[in-house]
């Protein structure tokens, strides 16, 4: 495990690179109000696993996490917000069995490398739900047609040729 928050509240994990871990970031049940932002999370089994409440996962590059998922919000997690992330070639991109998970806010959602093949395209992105009765949907998704050319100081992502698919797009 790259970082494990076990009973830790109000922590911020930011501007790190997580590569080749079983789990990059694990927010355990009992850990509340934590923020995971502006990280590069690549080539792991699980990218981010959330069991704790009131977590914020935002502005991360989550790529090629193919053991279990890019982001997994478990049934013990309540009020998780996942916004502004780049989900790139994770298998699956995300799983959600939490309560009251938000996959967008009023201005933006997440960017998905497989948006065009998702059943919600072009207006929505449907997140894989596991043993849940709620609707897990990104209502403000964007697609990724980008080449990532590395990282800059502070873990910022350099992107070339970014294409965003806005709501109500009828052709691409």
């Amino acid at each position: 495990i790259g970082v494990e928050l076990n009973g830790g509240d109000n922590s911020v994990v930011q501007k790190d690179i997580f590569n080749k871990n079983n789990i990059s970031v694990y927010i355990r049940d009992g850990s509340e109000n934590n923020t995971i932002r502006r990280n590069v999370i690549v080539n792991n089994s699980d990218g981010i696993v959330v069991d704790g409440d009131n977590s914020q996962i935002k502005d991360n590059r989550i790529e090629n996490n193919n053991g279990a998922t890019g982001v997994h919000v478990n049934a013990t997690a309540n009020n998780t917000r996942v916004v502004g992330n780049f989900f790139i070639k994770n298998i699956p991109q995300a799983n959600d069995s939490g309560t009251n998970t938000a996959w967008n806010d009023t201005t933006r959602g997440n960017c998905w490398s497989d948006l065009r093949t998702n059943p919600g395209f072009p207006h929505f992105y449907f997140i894989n739900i596991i043993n849940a009765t709620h609707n897990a949907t990104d209502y403000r998704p964007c697609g990724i047609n980008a080449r990532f050319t590395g990282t800059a100081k502070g873990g910022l992502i350099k992107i070339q040729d970014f294409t965003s698919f806005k709501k109500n797009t009828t052709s691409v």
Side-chain angles (χ1 to χ4, degrees):
I1 296 176
V3 170
E4 180 177 13
L5 301 176
N6 191 358
D9 296 341
N10 304 305
S11 297
V12 177
V13 176
Q14 68 180 359
K15 298 181 184 177
D16 281 314
I17 298 173
F18 297 94
N19 187 23
K20 297 183 181 177
N21 294 289
N22 185 34
I23 300 172
S24 285
V25 180
Y26 194 172
I27 303 172
R28 295 265 189 188
D29 192 16
S31 300
E32 297 185 1
N33 303 308
N34 294 296
T35 301
I36 311 303
R37 70 175 175 222
R38 297 178 66 195
N39 297 287
V40 176
I41 299 170
V42 296
N43 301 317
N44 303 284
S45 182
D46 268 315
I48 301 171
V49 176
V50 182
D51 287 339
D53 294 341
N54 303 310
S55 299
Q56 303 279 323
I57 299 170
K58 57 186 181 178
D59 304 319
N60 298 286
R61 173 180 159 194
I62 304 166
E63 181 176 4
N64 201 36
N65 299 288
N66 293 325
T69 186
V71 170
H72 192 136
V73 180
N74 285 321
T76 57
N78 298 296
N79 302 315
T80 303
R81 181 171 296 235
V82 184
V83 176
N85 300 287
F86 289 84
F87 286 87
I88 306 162
K89 298 181 183 175
N90 301 288
I91 301 174
Q93 297 278 36
N95 291 324
D96 185 0
S97 55
T99 302
N100 199 29
T101 305
W103 291 92
N104 58 270
D105 60 22
T106 58
T107 60
R108 65 185 181 146
N110 298 283
C111 295
W112 307 90
S113 63
D114 62 345
L115 176 64
R116 292 181 188 195
T117 60
N118 187 273
F121 178 78
H123 305 294
F124 312 111
Y125 187 91
F126 298 135
I127 286 81
N128 188 37
I129 55 175
I130 299 175
N131 299 324
T133 58
H134 69 285
N135 179 7
T137 303
D138 183 342
Y139 291 99
R140 297 189 174 279
C142 63
I144 297 173
N145 182 14
R147 218 170 5 146
F148 291 89
T149 59
T151 58
K153 287 185 178 182
L156 298 175
I157 303 167
K158 294 179 183 178
I159 301 174
Q160 295 176 344
D161 304 327
F162 176 76
T163 303
S164 174
F165 296 105
K166 303 289 184 194
K167 188 174 180 179
N168 298 322
T169 300
T170 55
S171 63
V172 291

